[in-house]
Amino acid sequence: FEKKVREIPQPDKIKPVLLALQSDAASTRKSWIPDGKTEPVPQSVLDTLRHAGIIVLPVAVNSNYLLANFVSIPRLDERTIALLSRISKQLVWLKLGYAELSEESWKRIGQCINLTRLSIEHTNLTDASVKYLSSLGNLQYLNLVGTKVSVQGIQSLTGLVKLEKLYLGQTLMHGDEIDQLRKAFPKTQLDSGNYRVENLATDTQLLKAPSVKR
């Protein structure tokens, strides 16, 4: 446990696996970050956001692109969400799970056009507010789990041509509508969350009562 992987003997069979894992992780991580460069956010602006309780961090070493996480804020208001406009050029990953947002706040999020990842699971997003996300043309990952969006609202996002992963579990979408969405999003991996695990014989264990000694 005190050693790094490279310090442990690696049989020939395991080397290709480790290299593949490194390559996948690097390529996935890199895809979240826009190709172009951007200027750094002034420290005073970062201090303002952090003072409001927003976790703001760089997405990679030596990168000016940022992620923002609202997990430590129990109740959000429009003024707090409005602070995102100060880092809209640099913001590429936003985590806003379990938030109750106003219509104006959803509009603000739709103005963060450099977002590549957006996690808004279990928020009050509806068909009326999801339309504001259609302007996020760089979005690659979108988590809508537990929101009040239907198949009609989801279809308003078909213009997001870079979208790779879309999570739809516990939404108002019905199970038989997933094929309809696959046609609307042919290049997107859709996750409806309706998993079924097959029962195996090994899942059942026979228990016998212990014998009573006399």
Side-chain angles (χ1 to χ4, degrees):
F1 289 101
E2 298 176 352
K3 291 186 177 182
K4 296 181 179 179
V5 173
R6 65 186 179 192
E7 297 173 338
I8 301 173
Q10 299 176 9
D12 291 337
K13 289 184 178 181
I14 202 64
K15 287 181 180 179
V17 177
L18 294 174
L19 288 173
L21 288 173
Q22 285 183 328
S23 300
D24 290 346
S27 60
T28 302
R29 184 73 176 182
K30 185 179 180 180
S31 69
W32 302 346
I33 307 172
D35 293 332
K37 293 184 178 181
T38 186
E39 64 273 14
V41 175
Q43 187 61 45
S44 59
V45 174
L46 294 176
D47 291 341
T48 299
L49 270 68
R50 288 166 180 163
H51 182 72
I54 306 171
I55 299 171
V56 185
L57 297 169
V59 294
V61 179
N62 300 323
S63 174
N64 293 325
Y65 287 105
L66 302 171
L67 68 84
N69 191 333
F70 286 71
V71 67
S72 59
I73 304 178
R75 191 166 184 174
L76 287 170
D77 54 33
E78 290 184 5
R79 289 180 299 176
T80 307
I81 294 294
L83 293 175
L84 292 177
S85 62
R86 303 189 184 187
I87 59 171
S88 60
K89 291 182 179 179
Q90 294 85 3
L91 185 62
V92 295
W93 188 0
L94 179 59
K95 294 177 67 66
L96 261 173
Y98 296 88
E100 295 286 325
L101 303 182
S102 66
E103 182 178 10
E104 184 61 31
S105 293
W106 287 117
K107 287 181 182 179
R108 292 274 189 182
I109 294 171
Q111 294 167 1
C112 299
I113 58 174
N114 283 329
L115 282 175
T116 60
R117 292 176 61 91
L118 179 59
S119 299
I120 46 176
E121 66 278 7
H122 300 285
T123 60
N124 63 331
L125 186 76
T126 64
D127 285 354
S129 48
V130 72
K131 62 185 179 183
Y132 299 119
L133 307 183
S134 62
S135 58
L136 303 177
N138 291 308
L139 211 58
Q140 300 173 28
Y141 171 104
L142 179 58
N143 188 341
L144 302 180
V145 170
T147 59
K148 297 294 189 294
V149 292
S150 69
V151 66
Q152 288 77 21
I154 297 165
Q155 286 181 324
S156 69
L157 303 177
T158 53
L160 303 181
V161 296
K162 295 184 179 180
L163 194 61
E164 297 176 0
K165 295 184 179 181
L166 178 56
Y167 293 86
L168 301 170
Q170 303 173 46
T171 61
L172 299 183
M173 180 198 73
H174 301 294
D176 57 354
E177 293 172 331
I178 189 67
D179 290 335
Q180 181 181 343
L181 288 178
R182 286 197 177 102
K183 293 178 181 178
F185 295 87
K187 297 182 180 179
T188 304
Q189 178 183 338
L190 304 180
D191 189 326
S192 63
N194 295 322
Y195 308 122
R196 291 189 63 186
V197 180
E198 183 180 357
N199 290 325
L200 303 176
T202 52
D203 294 335
T204 303
Q205 185 174 3
L206 181 63
L207 299 179
K208 294 182 180 180
S211 58
V212 179
K213 294 183 180 180
R214 295 182 180 180

